[in-house]
């Protein structure tokens, strides 16, 4: 498991109206315990695309990066971790508007 230590959120602009609903990009700084397979000395962040449509909202895509190298890691978050990220995004999505 991890702890979210910082974040930023921005509305993804869609000037051509291709996407339905709205999309938000979250950058979540995370702290992971050393014994976790995700652990990196360089630090980690998760890039999340969060979609909001009429009556539903959720994670569209997520990626995990090493902070200092900006290297994309080939890991997926586990279901319980995704629920934490989804709840966090839901709580903070209004800060982008």
């Amino acid at each position: 498991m991890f702890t979210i230590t910082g974040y930023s959120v921005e509305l993804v602009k869609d000037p051509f109206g291709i996407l339905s609903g709205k999309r938000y990009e979250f950058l979540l700084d995370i702290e992971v315990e050393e014994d976790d397979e995700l652990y990196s000395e360089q630090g980690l962040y998760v890039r999340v695309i969060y979609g909001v449509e009429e009556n539903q909202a959720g994670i569209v895509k997520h990626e995990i990066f090493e902070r200092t190298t900006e290297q994309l890691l080939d890991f997926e978050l586990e279901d319980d971790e995704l629920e934490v990220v989804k709840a966090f995004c839901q709580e903070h999505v209004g800060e982008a508007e």
Side-chain angles (χ1 to χ4, degrees):
M1 198 60 153
F2 59 82
T3 304
I4 298 172
T5 59
Y7 71 97
S8 65
V9 58
E10 290 184 17
L11 176 65
V12 176
K13 305 225 185 299
D14 182 21
F16 301 107
I18 296 171
L19 302 172
S20 62
K22 293 184 179 181
R23 300 287 189 274
Y24 300 87
E25 179 184 57
F26 281 84
L27 298 178
L28 306 176
D29 297 321
I30 61 171
E31 188 175 294
V32 179
E33 294 182 15
E34 285 188 39
D35 62 348
D36 192 306
E37 67 180 338
L38 270 180
Y39 179 77
S40 169
E41 288 183 16
Q42 284 77 29
L44 299 170
Y45 71 93
V46 181
R47 178 179 175 260
V48 179
I49 303 299
Y50 186 78
V52 177
E53 294 190 35
E54 290 179 22
N55 293 326
Q56 64 182 30
I59 296 172
V60 176
K61 179 181 180 180
H62 74 281
E63 303 166 315
I64 304 169
F65 291 89
E66 253 184 0
R67 173 139 315 278
T68 56
T69 64
E70 296 293 322
Q71 180 181 3
L72 175 63
L73 301 179
D74 190 22
F75 285 101
E76 294 289 323
L77 295 176
E78 295 177 6
D79 290 343
D80 58 335
E81 294 169 329
L82 281 172
E83 286 301 317
V84 168
V85 169
K86 182 180 176 183
F88 185 90
C89 292
Q90 185 174 5
E91 182 179 336
H92 295 280
V93 72
E95 296 172 21
E97 297 183 296

